[in-house]
Amino acid sequence: MAKESKEEIKQKYNHDELPAVKWYRFPLWCYQCFIKLFCYAFFGTGSVVLALLIFPWIRVFHHDKETFRIKAREFVSASFRMFTNVMRATGALSLKVSKEDRERFRNLHGKVIIANHPSMLDFVFIMSLVPNANCIVRGGLTKTVLAGVIKQCYIVNTLDFDELCALCKQTIDEGNNVIIFPEGTRTPRHGVNPYKKGAARIAYYSKCGVQPVLVGGNDKYGLGKHDPFWSYNHTERYVYDFSLLPEIKIDDYKDLTETIAAKRLTSKMEEVIYAAVSENDTKYVTNRDRN
């Protein structure tokens, strides 16, 4: 695939269509930008505390490697729930998840979870909702203070793909879930990113169902790719509206070769997610215009 030019990137991620900040909203907008930066600092500090203090303490009580991983991931999920509650308490955002879906999120086992990826917080929210979730993380994180935690609890994307599939299957067979964003990067403001086949290949290899998740809500400007660091939604606070979409059964593809199954399964993922995103955008644009 040809590398995108600077002009193509600008077209996909530009925010020229957004209105200027209204004068009467300017104080609130300044507060929201400050809170966003505070949350960045809070999250970074919390990550260091987890890596240097909490995880070594968990290791003292849980020497077995697998037990440590389970407890560590549960603690991360609880920590992310606390972080999202802090953001909600400061007024930075609003979170909508139905009571039924909250229960279903908690009871997910042995699935590949896929979702659209409009903001940098999507992973945090899904991890907070699913206590037994594993994920594939950037290899670059193994060169940070979080290296010990990453290597022990999660799957690094720099591994050979066959080894990566084997690790995913192992954790899925143990009843955990693997979170994957099929786009491979955050969703652009304009247009779409093609879905990669990695999630489909992992699901086919692991013989498990695919659970699509809609990361819905309003405009996530300020949390998207290439957005200015200090920016925030011009018109309203962030609204996150999460919902579980119908599961994609792997049995529908088991009689196909891996290549064909991966292609068709990826197409199905795109179809399900794009339909839900389109419906969400219509809903929130309509509500915004009414207000």
Side-chain angles (χ1 to χ4, degrees), residues 28-92:
L28 177 61
W29 178 77
C30 290
Y31 168 77
Q32 290 170 327
C33 290
F34 170 78
I35 288 299
K36 174 188 165 184
L37 299 180
F38 165 77
C39 289
Y40 272 125
F42 185 84
F43 185 86
T45 302
S47 298
V48 173
V49 170
L50 280 175
L52 300 183
L53 298 178
I54 304 300
F55 283 98
W57 189 247
I58 294 175
R59 174 67 78 180
V60 170
F61 296 98
H62 302 284
H63 301 290
D64 177 71
K65 192 173 183 178
E66 187 52 40
T67 303
F68 169 76
R69 285 176 176 169
I70 293 171
K71 296 299 180 182
R73 287 195 289 260
E74 287 177 351
F75 198 94
V76 168
S77 179
S79 299
F80 283 178
R81 283 195 295 276
M82 183 270 289
F83 177 66
T84 59
N85 287 333
V86 168
M87 288 190 290
R88 294 168 67 186
T90 60

Side-chain angles (χ1 to χ4, degrees), residues 32 58 67 78 84 92 111-112 126 131 153 161 167 204 218 238 243-244 247 263 278 283 287:
Q32 290 170 327
I58 294 175
T67 303
T84 59
K111 308 293 183 187
V112 168
I126 296 175
C153 300
F161 191 74
L167 289 174
Y204 182 85
N218 62 357
Y238 298 123
S243 58
L244 286 165
E247 181 182 337
K263 183 177 180 179
S278 179
K283 170 185 174 182
N287 288 343

Side-chain angles (χ1 to χ4, degrees), residues 224-244:
K225 194 170 183 179
H226 300 298
D227 290 346
F229 182 71
W230 46 266
S231 58
Y232 193 94
N233 187 318
H234 286 51
T235 57
E236 56 191 339
R237 68 176 177 173
Y238 298 123
V239 176
Y240 280 85
D241 192 347
F242 284 84
S243 58
L244 286 165

Side-chain angles (χ1 to χ4, degrees), residues 66 73 108-113 132-136 155 164-180 198-211 250:
E66 187 52 40
R73 287 195 289 260
L108 284 176
H109 296 283
K111 308 293 183 187
V112 168
I113 298 174
N132 60 333
N134 206 329
C135 62
I136 300 172
I155 301 169
L164 187 147
C165 282
L167 289 174
C168 287
K169 185 178 188 307
Q170 178 183 337
T171 194
I172 287 169
D173 288 345
E174 291 167 352
N176 301 309
N177 306 285
V178 175
I179 301 170
I180 303 174
R201 291 177 62 188
I202 289 170
Y204 182 85
Y205 182 89
S206 303
K207 296 180 175 59
C208 69
V210 176
Q211 177 59 67
I250 199 64

